[in-house]
Amino acid sequence: MDLMTIAPQTIPGNAASIEVKPIVLDPLAEDCPYGDTAIITTRRAITRVALVAVETGGRFQREGIEHDPMSWMLAPRRLFDGRAAIDACLEREHCLRSILVHGLSLGLDLAPTAVDTLLSDDEEDKRRRSRQYMSSKRKAGKKRNRSGHRPLAAPRLFTATIIYSDRNLMLQAFHASIAHEPSEISARLCERFGHSAANVADIREGFHQSTPVAMALVQEPVAELIRRVAPEADHPLHNDFAVTIEQRIDV
């Protein structure tokens, strides 16, 4: 790929179309102290750009898109108000737009208003789920006061590890998800791995990264995600949270 020959793109303006020619620098060349523009940013912002780049490349490969994903990152887009993704996606707002566009396989250069409508719908859905959750907690408390019975336990993070083998299978597995009781985790394991493997599962409340199976299968980024979710397990946004990692040999 020749990074110096990305085609210019026409961006609609208020009165007339404006042709914007992106300035693309060869990343393999030496830095020029007098010609390269210095950018002050944060590690979080750089991570946003890296995330968008990965999502862009993954989508283009997944869908067989003939365009070069690097060109998409470097050319100006209506989606970013005429800026290139490599600059705009340092900001959280544009990063979210990009992830939504590629995750839902939308157009490669939508108007930002179309994407923002979807984002606002998602935020409203989160608020609605939060309101429903708080309402259910209040109702559960009132019901307990009237009946004297203990209500269903609050949602918690459970993890399970499996080491199992038979004549046809050698299996190591790790599972983490939100549940009210360990029996829910057992049912999920039965559905995925069968009764025999689920019966030998070690199910525990919380995340115990020092267990041998967890140490072998759970990479640090995933472990960090699980640790962040654990103290907020009763939040409705985490209702569907689940991680399953398995290593198996079918004999």
Side-chain angles (χ1 to χ4, degrees):
M1 176 187 64
D2 183 358
L3 295 180
M4 305 305 294
T5 58
I6 294 177
Q9 190 170 16
T10 299
I11 305 297
N14 293 330
S17 296
I18 304 170
E19 185 181 272
V20 180
K21 294 185 177 180
I23 300 175
V24 182
L25 303 175
D26 184 355
L28 302 182
E30 295 287 344
D31 289 349
C32 177
Y34 303 106
D36 291 345
T37 303
I39 298 176
I40 299 176
T41 187
T42 65
R43 186 175 183 85
R44 189 188 305 275
I46 293 174
T47 304
R48 291 183 186 123
V49 175
L51 174 62
V52 171
V54 170
E55 290 294 325
T56 304
R59 177 193 177 181
F60 279 36
Q61 182 180 36
R62 181 174 65 250
E63 299 179 11
I65 297 175
E66 296 182 357
H67 299 295
D68 179 12
M70 190 71 166
S71 297
W72 190 90
M73 291 291 299
L74 295 173
R77 301 284 164 194
R78 286 191 304 161
L79 184 64
F80 310 122
D81 301 320
R83 300 163 65 191
I86 195 171
D87 299 312
C89 292
L90 290 166
E91 302 167 12
R92 178 177 179 273
E93 175 188 7
H94 293 304
C95 177
L96 288 173
R97 285 174 175 172
S98 296
I99 298 304
L100 186 63
V101 163
H102 293 313
L104 297 180
S105 297
L106 302 177
L108 297 180
D109 195 15
L110 295 175
T113 52
V115 183
D116 291 345
T117 299
L118 295 175
L119 287 173
S120 63
D121 289 344
D122 184 58
E123 290 298 324
E124 177 57 33
D125 182 62
K126 291 178 182 178
R127 289 191 290 270
R128 179 181 57 79
R129 291 170 65 183
S130 294
R131 289 194 296 268
Q132 290 175 342
Y133 167 68
M134 295 305 297
S135 176
S136 65
K137 288 192 71 174
R138 288 192 296 269
K139 290 179 182 178
K142 293 178 181 178
K143 184 176 181 180
R144 180 181 183 182
N145 292 335
R146 291 196 300 267
S147 65
H149 296 148
R150 182 176 179 271
L152 191 65
R156 293 162 288 165
L157 176 79
F158 288 90
T159 56
T161 56
I162 297 176
I163 301 177
Y164 173 79
S165 63
D166 59 18
R167 296 179 58 183
N168 302 312
L169 173 68
M170 296 176 61
L171 172 69
Q172 288 187 333
F174 171 87
H175 174 83
S177 63
I178 306 299
H180 296 275
E181 301 293 345
S183 58
E184 298 177 44
I185 303 299
S186 180
R188 293 168 190 170
L189 297 176
C190 283
E191 183 177 357
R192 173 144 187 164
F193 300 111
H195 291 280
S196 297
N199 285 339
V200 301
D202 179 13
I203 301 175
R204 305 185 186 185
E205 182 177 345
F207 178 39
H208 306 272
Q209 193 174 1
S210 60
T211 59
V213 174
M215 292 177 63
L217 298 182
V218 183
Q219 299 296 319
E220 183 54 33
V222 178
E224 177 61 25
L225 174 62
I226 296 172
R227 286 193 292 266
R228 290 206 310 268
V229 168
E232 302 176 350
D234 62 344
H235 196 287
L237 293 180
H238 301 316
N239 286 346
D240 299 327
F241 176 81
V243 173
T244 303
I245 306 170
E246 62 179 274
Q247 179 174 285
R248 61 188 298 152
I249 300 175
D250 294 299
V251 181

